[in-house]
Amino acid sequence: MNAPQDPAGNNCETVELALGGMTCAACATRIEKQLNKLPGVEAAVNLAAERAHVRYMPGEVDVGRLIATVVKTGFTADVSTADTRAAEKAQKLALYRDELRRFWISAALTLPLVAQMAFMFGSGAHDDVLPRWLQLLLATPVQFWIGWRFYVGGFNAIRGGAGNMDVLVALGTSMAWAYSFVVTVWDLHHQHVYFEASATVITLVLLGKILEARAKAKTSAAIEALAKLQPQTARVERRSGETVELVDVAVATLIPGDVFVVRAGEAMPVDGEVIEGASSANESMLTGESLPVTKAAGDRVFAATINGDGLLRCRATGVGSHTLLAGIIRLVEEAQGSKAPVQRLADKVAAIFVPVVTVIALLTFVAWWALAGDFTQALVNAVAVLVIACPCALGLATPTAIMVGTGQGAKAGVLIRNAVALELAEKLKVLVVDKTGTLTEGRPEVTDVVKVGAGDTAVLLQLAASLEQGSTHPLAAAIVARAKADGLALATPQNVVTTAGRGLLGEVDGRRVRLGSVTWMKEQGWSASAAEALAQAGRSVVAVVADDELLGFIGIADPLRTTSRAAVARLNRLGIEVVMLTGDNAGTAQAVARQAGIEHFEAEVLPGDKAAAVNKLKGAGRLVGMAGDGINDAPALAAADVSFAMAAGSDVAMQAADVTLMRDDLAGVADAISLSRATLSKIRQNLFFAFIYNVLGIPLAALGMLNPVIAGAAMAMSSVSVVSNSLLLRNWKANKD
């Protein structure tokens, strides 16, 4: 459970509930409706994952009331956490095995009835092959023991004020069984019995549920695979008197500050920082990047990544739910539990589906009996309508595709925060990108120190680095690093004032020092000729002024990422216009844009103005995405329709962006858009098949063109086909369109 802030600034909490007893979209809709009736509650129910993601105000409702509401609606609910996931899986496995046992018993009892029907069709005879009392004995356990779950589910649904699939199945099969029972008991030889229809429908529906459960289990395979990656034990240093020993302990017992050792080929137990040793790490399970990453003292390591061929001694920095792996799992689970806007239509249909179908079945029965004068045929057709009209496929169409899609994204290092972002990413027409750290490496270095007049370059660099010590800007870090590399002693600055997009003002060794951009320098009336030459060479330029005297300029180069040009070209092929916004000078911006293959850019844009630039692009009626570092570009990221944070391992970026890219590579944005299009394509296919199945099936049943047994088989397979179609998304690969 966590405590985010809602838009009004109130402290909300979220909880994940594991649900039981849902059978179709109507069940999920009803639970969601009842939870959202509670004060201060915002709930989303995922039929495929059997989860409810609930956001609530602690002062108005508590978890106990949430669970009680679900139970009152006719279902089961328990709090779901990382610790309970294994128990939930074991419980589901036990239920699956019980269902499988019941199915085989049902199939054994139903088989003689089906064999009799096949014999009758083959011989052309209409006489019963099996005595009717034997048919009654075979069909009754199937109807009231195997099929008891449908009666319980249907009763709970009606008690909760709505209908579901269980109501349709229980009503349809009960009508067929009851009619056959009357014919058998009263010995009405001239009437046919339909024991085989009721038993076969129940058996086929049960088979469909078993196949559906197996398929649904595969939709969460990616996230389960991630959860299994973290080792269960760690080799930790423990002091015993004057000596330090290596002890194997459970990973769950580690705390920040513990020192652990990872040998070659072993998985990192938690997040940490390398203290000693040199090696490489395979981080592909988190970032999707196949190349190993070099690790040395001071570098970060992440839980579940694989150490290469060296021995690493590390200090734990993130344990338990605070590891990067846990954050990824949490984000993917939230995305899998969220709803895409495209699902709203399916939810509206599901809410009224069962009552409408029941009315259609009643009208079918009345019409056939009144017009054809055949009670038996009227009953059979009404049963067929009830059986064919299962809304399961409708409820599974969207969530199964989202679960598979977001799971595949996580494997490729693309973390999608919610289903809304997944859907909107498909429709993006413009992508706004930051320059530093997005198109470029984000590790700038000082390349030029140019003095003006008779000044000293060492003094210029020493004053600039002293003033920049407290700044987190990448350019500031480059200046400080160069000064330290040159052996310059840095002074402690005083009275430092930062002006966003302009520069710094402060005192260093009694001198009033100002550092700023070329734009700011021009506003002060100083000559920009030397700065313009550096800018034309693709350098970022910082002007240095001391006591109102221009000392000179510092040129800083941040090389373009080797993948940026190819990523921009790929985005263009996807129909996305790439626009670069940067606070750098026009000359540097033009040089970087030319290297990256970007036609449209804006230079000297202040951080606060980037959001306005995004809104201006949105004003043209196009959906706009924004890719940045997730921190400095926060206003623009918030203004964009879909935001992409290119900041591997940044908790702030994960919380700020709709999509977090675990690799600092613009190609990840193209992967996210490609994945969005593939996922939405599957959702549309699923919804089409779900709707067309009912649109065609119900009229055929009402017109007497569909046998209840065939209707039961079709209904059972409809859900399986939708889930199987979603599983095809597992073939999606990154870097392929």
Side-chain angles (χ1 to χ4, degrees), residues 414 416 422 424-431 570-571 574-576 625 642 644 659 661 666-679 732 737:
V414 178
I416 299 169
L422 182 67
L424 290 178
E426 180 211 28
K427 304 171 185 176
L428 290 180
K429 295 300 179 185
V430 180
L431 178 69
R570 184 180 169 204
L571 286 164
L574 290 170
I576 310 294
V642 182
F644 302 86
V659 180
L661 308 176
L666 194 61
V669 178
D671 286 337
I673 293 171
S674 171
L675 177 61
S676 170
R677 293 181 178 182
T679 303
W732 177 87
D737 301 321

PDB file of all heavy atoms in Angstrom, residues 414 416 422 424-431 570-571 574-576 625 642 644 659 661 666-679 732 737:
ATOM      1  N   VAL A 414      10.669  -1.146 -21.607  1.00  0.00           N
ATOM      2  CA  VAL A 414       9.674  -0.088 -21.814  1.00  0.00           C
ATOM      3  C   VAL A 414       8.578  -0.282 -20.770  1.00  0.00           C
ATOM      4  O   VAL A 414       7.770  -1.194 -20.875  1.00  0.00           O
ATOM      5  CB  VAL A 414       9.072  -0.138 -23.240  1.00  0.00           C
ATOM      6  CG1 VAL A 414       8.005   0.931 -23.408  1.00  0.00           C
ATOM      7  CG2 VAL A 414      10.168   0.030 -24.289  1.00  0.00           C
ATOM      8  N   ILE A 416       5.258   0.868 -19.180  1.00  0.00           N
ATOM      9  CA  ILE A 416       4.077   1.677 -19.465  1.00  0.00           C
ATOM     10  C   ILE A 416       3.264   1.784 -18.189  1.00  0.00           C
ATOM     11  O   ILE A 416       2.850   0.776 -17.616  1.00  0.00           O
ATOM     12  CB  ILE A 416       3.259   1.052 -20.608  1.00  0.00           C
ATOM     13  CG1 ILE A 416       4.133   0.998 -21.867  1.00  0.00           C
ATOM     14  CG2 ILE A 416       1.988   1.836 -20.865  1.00  0.00           C
ATOM     15  CD1 ILE A 416       3.557   0.177 -22.980  1.00  0.00           C
ATOM     16  N   LEU A 422      -0.903   3.802 -22.976  1.00  0.00           N
ATOM     17  CA  LEU A 422      -0.693   2.785 -24.007  1.00  0.00           C
ATOM     18  C   LEU A 422      -1.570   3.060 -25.222  1.00  0.00           C
ATOM     19  O   LEU A 422      -1.126   2.928 -26.364  1.00  0.00           O
ATOM     20  CB  LEU A 422      -0.997   1.405 -23.438  1.00  0.00           C
ATOM     21  CG  LEU A 422      -0.785   0.210 -24.375  1.00  0.00           C
ATOM     22  CD1 LEU A 422       0.688   0.041 -24.692  1.00  0.00           C
ATOM     23  CD2 LEU A 422      -1.340  -1.063 -23.742  1.00  0.00           C
ATOM     24  N   LEU A 424      -3.016   6.082 -26.039  1.00  0.00           N
ATOM     25  CA  LEU A 424      -2.716   7.370 -26.657  1.00  0.00           C
ATOM     26  C   LEU A 424      -1.416   7.334 -27.463  1.00  0.00           C
ATOM     27  O   LEU A 424      -1.283   8.042 -28.460  1.00  0.00           O
ATOM     28  CB  LEU A 424      -2.625   8.461 -25.586  1.00  0.00           C
ATOM     29  CG  LEU A 424      -3.940   8.866 -24.917  1.00  0.00           C
ATOM     30  CD1 LEU A 424      -3.684   9.923 -23.846  1.00  0.00           C
ATOM     31  CD2 LEU A 424      -4.922   9.398 -25.957  1.00  0.00           C
ATOM     32  N   ALA A 425      -0.440   6.525 -27.016  1.00  0.00           N
ATOM     33  CA  ALA A 425       0.847   6.462 -27.719  1.00  0.00           C
ATOM     34  C   ALA A 425       0.674   6.055 -29.172  1.00  0.00           C
ATOM     35  O   ALA A 425       1.434   6.479 -30.046  1.00  0.00           O
ATOM     36  CB  ALA A 425       1.788   5.495 -27.001  1.00  0.00           C
ATOM     37  N   GLU A 426      -0.345   5.248 -29.437  1.00  0.00           N
ATOM     38  CA  GLU A 426      -0.601   4.799 -30.807  1.00  0.00           C
ATOM     39  C   GLU A 426      -0.968   5.968 -31.714  1.00  0.00           C
ATOM     40  O   GLU A 426      -0.703   5.948 -32.917  1.00  0.00           O
ATOM     41  CB  GLU A 426      -1.740   3.782 -30.793  1.00  0.00           C
ATOM     42  CG  GLU A 426      -2.098   3.242 -32.165  1.00  0.00           C
ATOM     43  CD  GLU A 426      -3.574   2.884 -32.291  1.00  0.00           C
ATOM     44  OE1 GLU A 426      -4.400   3.483 -31.602  1.00  0.00           O
ATOM     45  OE2 GLU A 426      -3.883   2.010 -33.107  1.00  0.00           O
ATOM     46  N   LYS A 427      -1.568   7.021 -31.126  1.00  0.00           N
ATOM     47  CA  LYS A 427      -2.112   8.116 -31.921  1.00  0.00           C
ATOM     48  C   LYS A 427      -1.197   9.332 -32.009  1.00  0.00           C
ATOM     49  O   LYS A 427      -1.566  10.349 -32.598  1.00  0.00           O
ATOM     50  CB  LYS A 427      -3.456   8.548 -31.329  1.00  0.00           C
ATOM     51  CG  LYS A 427      -4.466   7.413 -31.208  1.00  0.00           C
ATOM     52  CD  LYS A 427      -5.698   7.833 -30.431  1.00  0.00           C
ATOM     53  CE  LYS A 427      -6.647   6.661 -30.221  1.00  0.00           C
ATOM     54  NZ  LYS A 427      -7.814   7.027 -29.377  1.00  0.00           N
ATOM     55  N   LEU A 428      -0.002   9.252 -31.406  1.00  0.00           N
ATOM     56  CA  LEU A 428       0.908  10.398 -31.413  1.00  0.00           C
ATOM     57  C   LEU A 428       1.309  10.792 -32.831  1.00  0.00           C
ATOM     58  O   LEU A 428       1.586   9.939 -33.675  1.00  0.00           O
ATOM     59  CB  LEU A 428       2.160  10.086 -30.601  1.00  0.00           C
ATOM     60  CG  LEU A 428       1.998   9.973 -29.082  1.00  0.00           C
ATOM     61  CD1 LEU A 428       3.335   9.671 -28.436  1.00  0.00           C
ATOM     62  CD2 LEU A 428       1.402  11.238 -28.500  1.00  0.00           C
ATOM     63  N   LYS A 429       1.361  12.098 -33.054  1.00  0.00           N
ATOM     64  CA  LYS A 429       1.792  12.627 -34.348  1.00  0.00           C
ATOM     65  C   LYS A 429       3.064  13.465 -34.221  1.00  0.00           C
ATOM     66  O   LYS A 429       3.774  13.662 -35.200  1.00  0.00           O
ATOM     67  CB  LYS A 429       0.685  13.486 -34.960  1.00  0.00           C
ATOM     68  CG  LYS A 429      -0.589  12.707 -35.305  1.00  0.00           C
ATOM     69  CD  LYS A 429      -0.302  11.608 -36.322  1.00  0.00           C
ATOM     70  CE  LYS A 429      -1.560  10.816 -36.660  1.00  0.00           C
ATOM     71  NZ  LYS A 429      -1.259   9.676 -37.564  1.00  0.00           N
ATOM     72  N   VAL A 430       3.317  13.978 -33.001  1.00  0.00           N
ATOM     73  CA  VAL A 430       4.491  14.814 -32.772  1.00  0.00           C
ATOM     74  C   VAL A 430       5.194  14.322 -31.506  1.00  0.00           C
ATOM     75  O   VAL A 430       4.535  14.011 -30.507  1.00  0.00           O
ATOM     76  CB  VAL A 430       4.106  16.301 -32.587  1.00  0.00           C
ATOM     77  CG1 VAL A 430       5.350  17.159 -32.339  1.00  0.00           C
ATOM     78  CG2 VAL A 430       3.348  16.815 -33.796  1.00  0.00           C
ATOM     79  N   LEU A 431       6.515  14.249 -31.569  1.00  0.00           N
ATOM     80  CA  LEU A 431       7.304  13.914 -30.386  1.00  0.00           C
ATOM     81  C   LEU A 431       8.282  15.050 -30.122  1.00  0.00           C
ATOM     82  O   LEU A 431       9.139  15.355 -30.962  1.00  0.00           O
ATOM     83  CB  LEU A 431       8.078  12.604 -30.582  1.00  0.00           C
ATOM     84  CG  LEU A 431       8.964  12.210 -29.390  1.00  0.00           C
ATOM     85  CD1 LEU A 431       8.104  11.805 -28.194  1.00  0.00           C
ATOM     86  CD2 LEU A 431       9.918  11.083 -29.762  1.00  0.00           C
ATOM     87  N   ARG A 570      13.603   6.244 -37.591  1.00  0.00           N
ATOM     88  CA  ARG A 570      12.565   5.235 -37.354  1.00  0.00           C
ATOM     89  C   ARG A 570      11.254   5.887 -36.935  1.00  0.00           C
ATOM     90  O   ARG A 570      10.175   5.485 -37.376  1.00  0.00           O
ATOM     91  CB  ARG A 570      13.051   4.268 -36.277  1.00  0.00           C
ATOM     92  CG  ARG A 570      12.087   3.113 -36.005  1.00  0.00           C
ATOM     93  CD  ARG A 570      12.634   2.207 -34.928  1.00  0.00           C
ATOM     94  NE  ARG A 570      11.615   1.258 -34.485  1.00  0.00           N
ATOM     95  CZ  ARG A 570      11.613   0.670 -33.300  1.00  0.00           C
ATOM     96  NH1 ARG A 570      12.583   0.932 -32.436  1.00  0.00           N
ATOM     97  NH2 ARG A 570      10.658  -0.170 -32.960  1.00  0.00           N
ATOM     98  N   LEU A 571      11.337   6.900 -36.080  1.00  0.00           N
ATOM     99  CA  LEU A 571      10.130   7.627 -35.666  1.00  0.00           C
ATOM    100  C   LEU A 571       9.466   8.305 -36.857  1.00  0.00           C
ATOM    101  O   LEU A 571       8.238   8.317 -36.978  1.00  0.00           O
ATOM    102  CB  LEU A 571      10.483   8.658 -34.589  1.00  0.00           C
ATOM    103  CG  LEU A 571      10.781   8.091 -33.194  1.00  0.00           C
ATOM    104  CD1 LEU A 571      11.486   9.117 -32.326  1.00  0.00           C
ATOM    105  CD2 LEU A 571       9.495   7.622 -32.526  1.00  0.00           C
ATOM    106  N   LEU A 574       7.467   5.928 -38.715  1.00  0.00           N
ATOM    107  CA  LEU A 574       6.212   5.630 -38.024  1.00  0.00           C
ATOM    108  C   LEU A 574       5.199   6.760 -38.147  1.00  0.00           C
ATOM    109  O   LEU A 574       4.093   6.678 -37.599  1.00  0.00           O
ATOM    110  CB  LEU A 574       6.482   5.356 -36.531  1.00  0.00           C
ATOM    111  CG  LEU A 574       7.213   4.056 -36.197  1.00  0.00           C
ATOM    112  CD1 LEU A 574       7.633   4.031 -34.725  1.00  0.00           C
ATOM    113  CD2 LEU A 574       6.331   2.847 -36.506  1.00  0.00           C
ATOM    114  N   GLY A 575       5.588   7.810 -38.858  1.00  0.00           N
ATOM    115  CA  GLY A 575       4.676   8.942 -39.057  1.00  0.00           C
ATOM    116  C   GLY A 575       4.730   9.954 -37.929  1.00  0.00           C
ATOM    117  O   GLY A 575       3.808  10.757 -37.767  1.00  0.00           O
ATOM    118  N   ILE A 576       5.819   9.957 -37.148  1.00  0.00           N
ATOM    119  CA  ILE A 576       5.967  10.871 -36.018  1.00  0.00           C
ATOM    120  C   ILE A 576       6.940  11.987 -36.395  1.00  0.00           C
ATOM    121  O   ILE A 576       8.071  11.722 -36.801  1.00  0.00           O
ATOM    122  CB  ILE A 576       6.507  10.138 -34.770  1.00  0.00           C
ATOM    123  CG1 ILE A 576       5.691   8.875 -34.483  1.00  0.00           C
ATOM    124  CG2 ILE A 576       6.541  11.071 -33.579  1.00  0.00           C
ATOM    125  CD1 ILE A 576       4.272   9.129 -34.088  1.00  0.00           C
ATOM    126  N   GLY A 625       3.702  13.938 -27.826  1.00  0.00           N
ATOM    127  CA  GLY A 625       4.459  13.242 -26.797  1.00  0.00           C
ATOM    128  C   GLY A 625       5.693  14.049 -26.438  1.00  0.00           C
ATOM    129  O   GLY A 625       6.136  14.907 -27.205  1.00  0.00           O
ATOM    130  N   VAL A 642       1.378  12.224 -23.858  1.00  0.00           N
ATOM    131  CA  VAL A 642       2.080  11.045 -23.349  1.00  0.00           C
ATOM    132  C   VAL A 642       3.521  11.460 -23.074  1.00  0.00           C
ATOM    133  O   VAL A 642       4.169  12.055 -23.934  1.00  0.00           O
ATOM    134  CB  VAL A 642       2.076   9.872 -24.353  1.00  0.00           C
ATOM    135  CG1 VAL A 642       2.778   8.660 -23.747  1.00  0.00           C
ATOM    136  CG2 VAL A 642       0.664   9.507 -24.759  1.00  0.00           C
ATOM    137  N   PHE A 644       7.503  10.483 -21.923  1.00  0.00           N
ATOM    138  CA  PHE A 644       8.495   9.404 -21.910  1.00  0.00           C
ATOM    139  C   PHE A 644       9.705   9.876 -21.112  1.00  0.00           C
ATOM    140  O   PHE A 644      10.325  10.884 -21.470  1.00  0.00           O
ATOM    141  CB  PHE A 644       8.944   9.049 -23.332  1.00  0.00           C
ATOM    142  CG  PHE A 644       7.828   8.625 -24.247  1.00  0.00           C
ATOM    143  CD1 PHE A 644       7.086   9.576 -24.949  1.00  0.00           C
ATOM    144  CD2 PHE A 644       7.509   7.292 -24.427  1.00  0.00           C
ATOM    145  CE1 PHE A 644       6.058   9.198 -25.803  1.00  0.00           C
ATOM    146  CE2 PHE A 644       6.488   6.899 -25.279  1.00  0.00           C
ATOM    147  CZ  PHE A 644       5.760   7.858 -25.965  1.00  0.00           C
ATOM    148  N   VAL A 659       5.477   6.752 -19.501  1.00  0.00           N
ATOM    149  CA  VAL A 659       6.295   5.630 -19.971  1.00  0.00           C
ATOM    150  C   VAL A 659       7.729   5.867 -19.513  1.00  0.00           C
ATOM    151  O   VAL A 659       8.277   6.954 -19.729  1.00  0.00           O
ATOM    152  CB  VAL A 659       6.260   5.507 -21.509  1.00  0.00           C
ATOM    153  CG1 VAL A 659       7.113   4.323 -21.971  1.00  0.00           C
ATOM    154  CG2 VAL A 659       4.831   5.360 -22.010  1.00  0.00           C
ATOM    155  N   LEU A 661      11.620   4.591 -19.881  1.00  0.00           N
ATOM    156  CA  LEU A 661      12.515   3.801 -20.730  1.00  0.00           C
ATOM    157  C   LEU A 661      13.741   3.429 -19.907  1.00  0.00           C
ATOM    158  O   LEU A 661      14.476   4.308 -19.454  1.00  0.00           O
ATOM    159  CB  LEU A 661      12.919   4.597 -21.971  1.00  0.00           C
ATOM    160  CG  LEU A 661      11.747   5.192 -22.768  1.00  0.00           C
ATOM    161  CD1 LEU A 661      12.274   6.047 -23.918  1.00  0.00           C
ATOM    162  CD2 LEU A 661      10.849   4.090 -23.298  1.00  0.00           C
ATOM    163  N   LEU A 666      16.653   6.940 -27.402  1.00  0.00           N
ATOM    164  CA  LEU A 666      15.415   7.408 -28.019  1.00  0.00           C
ATOM    165  C   LEU A 666      14.707   6.296 -28.781  1.00  0.00           C
ATOM    166  O   LEU A 666      13.500   6.366 -29.020  1.00  0.00           O
ATOM    167  CB  LEU A 666      15.724   8.578 -28.962  1.00  0.00           C
ATOM    168  CG  LEU A 666      14.540   9.419 -29.448  1.00  0.00           C
ATOM    169  CD1 LEU A 666      13.843  10.073 -28.272  1.00  0.00           C
ATOM    170  CD2 LEU A 666      14.995  10.459 -30.451  1.00  0.00           C
ATOM    171  N   ALA A 667      15.438   5.235 -29.135  1.00  0.00           N
ATOM    172  CA  ALA A 667      14.806   4.103 -29.821  1.00  0.00           C
ATOM    173  C   ALA A 667      13.724   3.477 -28.953  1.00  0.00           C
ATOM    174  O   ALA A 667      12.778   2.873 -29.465  1.00  0.00           O
ATOM    175  CB  ALA A 667      15.851   3.057 -30.188  1.00  0.00           C
ATOM    176  N   GLY A 668      13.832   3.645 -27.629  1.00  0.00           N
ATOM    177  CA  GLY A 668      12.818   3.118 -26.735  1.00  0.00           C
ATOM    178  C   GLY A 668      11.460   3.767 -26.947  1.00  0.00           C
ATOM    179  O   GLY A 668      10.421   3.136 -26.751  1.00  0.00           O
ATOM    180  N   VAL A 669      11.448   5.049 -27.347  1.00  0.00           N
ATOM    181  CA  VAL A 669      10.182   5.728 -27.631  1.00  0.00           C
ATOM    182  C   VAL A 669       9.518   5.080 -28.843  1.00  0.00           C
ATOM    183  O   VAL A 669       8.309   4.836 -28.864  1.00  0.00           O
ATOM    184  CB  VAL A 669      10.405   7.231 -27.877  1.00  0.00           C
ATOM    185  CG1 VAL A 669       9.082   7.915 -28.217  1.00  0.00           C
ATOM    186  CG2 VAL A 669      11.034   7.882 -26.656  1.00  0.00           C
ATOM    187  N   ALA A 670      10.327   4.800 -29.872  1.00  0.00           N
ATOM    188  CA  ALA A 670       9.795   4.119 -31.054  1.00  0.00           C
ATOM    189  C   ALA A 670       9.269   2.731 -30.687  1.00  0.00           C
ATOM    190  O   ALA A 670       8.229   2.297 -31.198  1.00  0.00           O
ATOM    191  CB  ALA A 670      10.881   4.015 -32.126  1.00  0.00           C
ATOM    192  N   ASP A 671       9.982   2.037 -29.788  1.00  0.00           N
ATOM    193  CA  ASP A 671       9.502   0.724 -29.325  1.00  0.00           C
ATOM    194  C   ASP A 671       8.153   0.856 -28.629  1.00  0.00           C
ATOM    195  O   ASP A 671       7.244   0.042 -28.839  1.00  0.00           O
ATOM    196  CB  ASP A 671      10.517   0.096 -28.362  1.00  0.00           C
ATOM    197  CG  ASP A 671      11.759  -0.431 -29.071  1.00  0.00           C
ATOM    198  OD1 ASP A 671      11.666  -0.705 -30.283  1.00  0.00           O
ATOM    199  OD2 ASP A 671      12.802  -0.560 -28.414  1.00  0.00           O
ATOM    200  N   ALA A 672       8.016   1.888 -27.777  1.00  0.00           N
ATOM    201  CA  ALA A 672       6.766   2.086 -27.049  1.00  0.00           C
ATOM    202  C   ALA A 672       5.606   2.356 -28.005  1.00  0.00           C
ATOM    203  O   ALA A 672       4.501   1.829 -27.831  1.00  0.00           O
ATOM    204  CB  ALA A 672       6.914   3.246 -26.064  1.00  0.00           C
ATOM    205  N   ILE A 673       5.848   3.175 -29.018  1.00  0.00           N
ATOM    206  CA  ILE A 673       4.798   3.484 -29.994  1.00  0.00           C
ATOM    207  C   ILE A 673       4.458   2.246 -30.814  1.00  0.00           C
ATOM    208  O   ILE A 673       3.287   1.957 -31.083  1.00  0.00           O
ATOM    209  CB  ILE A 673       5.245   4.650 -30.895  1.00  0.00           C
ATOM    210  CG1 ILE A 673       5.357   5.936 -30.069  1.00  0.00           C
ATOM    211  CG2 ILE A 673       4.270   4.847 -32.061  1.00  0.00           C
ATOM    212  CD1 ILE A 673       5.987   7.095 -30.797  1.00  0.00           C
ATOM    213  N   SER A 674       5.480   1.497 -31.211  1.00  0.00           N
ATOM    214  CA  SER A 674       5.257   0.260 -31.962  1.00  0.00           C
ATOM    215  C   SER A 674       4.454  -0.740 -31.134  1.00  0.00           C
ATOM    216  O   SER A 674       3.511  -1.369 -31.632  1.00  0.00           O
ATOM    217  CB  SER A 674       6.606  -0.353 -32.362  1.00  0.00           C
ATOM    218  OG  SER A 674       6.440  -1.645 -32.901  1.00  0.00           O
ATOM    219  N   LEU A 675       4.808  -0.881 -29.841  1.00  0.00           N
ATOM    220  CA  LEU A 675       4.086  -1.788 -28.953  1.00  0.00           C
ATOM    221  C   LEU A 675       2.645  -1.329 -28.768  1.00  0.00           C
ATOM    222  O   LEU A 675       1.714  -2.137 -28.750  1.00  0.00           O
ATOM    223  CB  LEU A 675       4.792  -1.862 -27.600  1.00  0.00           C
ATOM    224  CG  LEU A 675       4.118  -2.726 -26.529  1.00  0.00           C
ATOM    225  CD1 LEU A 675       4.012  -4.172 -26.976  1.00  0.00           C
ATOM    226  CD2 LEU A 675       4.885  -2.638 -25.214  1.00  0.00           C
ATOM    227  N   SER A 676       2.450  -0.016 -28.630  1.00  0.00           N
ATOM    228  CA  SER A 676       1.099   0.530 -28.486  1.00  0.00           C
ATOM    229  C   SER A 676       0.247   0.177 -29.694  1.00  0.00           C
ATOM    230  O   SER A 676      -0.903  -0.258 -29.554  1.00  0.00           O
ATOM    231  CB  SER A 676       1.173   2.051 -28.320  1.00  0.00           C
ATOM    232  OG  SER A 676      -0.107   2.634 -28.405  1.00  0.00           O
ATOM    233  N   ARG A 677       0.789   0.347 -30.880  1.00  0.00           N
ATOM    234  CA  ARG A 677       0.025   0.049 -32.090  1.00  0.00           C
ATOM    235  C   ARG A 677      -0.294  -1.444 -32.194  1.00  0.00           C
ATOM    236  O   ARG A 677      -1.408  -1.821 -32.587  1.00  0.00           O
ATOM    237  CB  ARG A 677       0.806   0.529 -33.317  1.00  0.00           C
ATOM    238  CG  ARG A 677       0.928   2.046 -33.372  1.00  0.00           C
ATOM    239  CD  ARG A 677       1.676   2.541 -34.591  1.00  0.00           C
ATOM    240  NE  ARG A 677       1.711   3.998 -34.615  1.00  0.00           N
ATOM    241  CZ  ARG A 677       2.266   4.724 -35.588  1.00  0.00           C
ATOM    242  NH1 ARG A 677       2.841   4.114 -36.614  1.00  0.00           N
ATOM    243  NH2 ARG A 677       2.244   6.038 -35.520  1.00  0.00           N
ATOM    244  N   ALA A 678       0.662  -2.283 -31.833  1.00  0.00           N
ATOM    245  CA  ALA A 678       0.418  -3.732 -31.886  1.00  0.00           C
ATOM    246  C   ALA A 678      -0.650  -4.135 -30.877  1.00  0.00           C
ATOM    247  O   ALA A 678      -1.541  -4.942 -31.176  1.00  0.00           O
ATOM    248  CB  ALA A 678       1.723  -4.485 -31.614  1.00  0.00           C
ATOM    249  N   THR A 679      -0.585  -3.563 -29.664  1.00  0.00           N
ATOM    250  CA  THR A 679      -1.549  -3.910 -28.617  1.00  0.00           C
ATOM    251  C   THR A 679      -2.953  -3.430 -28.974  1.00  0.00           C
ATOM    252  O   THR A 679      -3.936  -4.173 -28.831  1.00  0.00           O
ATOM    253  CB  THR A 679      -1.125  -3.294 -27.266  1.00  0.00           C
ATOM    254  OG1 THR A 679       0.197  -3.741 -26.947  1.00  0.00           O
ATOM    255  CG2 THR A 679      -2.073  -3.711 -26.164  1.00  0.00           C
ATOM    256  N   TRP A 732       5.717  -9.965 -30.448  1.00  0.00           N
ATOM    257  CA  TRP A 732       6.231  -8.616 -30.684  1.00  0.00           C
ATOM    258  C   TRP A 732       7.663  -8.506 -30.180  1.00  0.00           C
ATOM    259  O   TRP A 732       7.994  -8.991 -29.109  1.00  0.00           O
ATOM    260  CB  TRP A 732       5.358  -7.581 -29.977  1.00  0.00           C
ATOM    261  CG  TRP A 732       5.876  -6.178 -30.120  1.00  0.00           C
ATOM    262  CD1 TRP A 732       5.617  -5.302 -31.127  1.00  0.00           C
ATOM    263  CD2 TRP A 732       6.774  -5.497 -29.215  1.00  0.00           C
ATOM    264  NE1 TRP A 732       6.281  -4.123 -30.909  1.00  0.00           N
ATOM    265  CE2 TRP A 732       7.004  -4.212 -29.750  1.00  0.00           C
ATOM    266  CE3 TRP A 732       7.399  -5.856 -28.028  1.00  0.00           C
ATOM    267  CZ2 TRP A 732       7.823  -3.274 -29.119  1.00  0.00           C
ATOM    268  CZ3 TRP A 732       8.228  -4.932 -27.410  1.00  0.00           C
ATOM    269  CH2 TRP A 732       8.424  -3.664 -27.948  1.00  0.00           C
ATOM    270  N   ASP A 737       9.249  -2.923 -36.616  1.00  0.00           N
ATOM    271  CA  ASP A 737       7.963  -2.269 -36.870  1.00  0.00           C
ATOM    272  C   ASP A 737       7.137  -3.095 -37.837  1.00  0.00           C
ATOM    273  O   ASP A 737       7.679  -3.789 -38.680  1.00  0.00           O
ATOM    274  CB  ASP A 737       8.175  -0.866 -37.441  1.00  0.00           C
ATOM    275  CG  ASP A 737       8.994   0.003 -36.484  1.00  0.00           C
ATOM    276  OD1 ASP A 737       8.773  -0.106 -35.268  1.00  0.00           O
ATOM    277  OD2 ASP A 737       9.838   0.769 -36.972  1.00  0.00           O
TER     278      ASP A 737
END
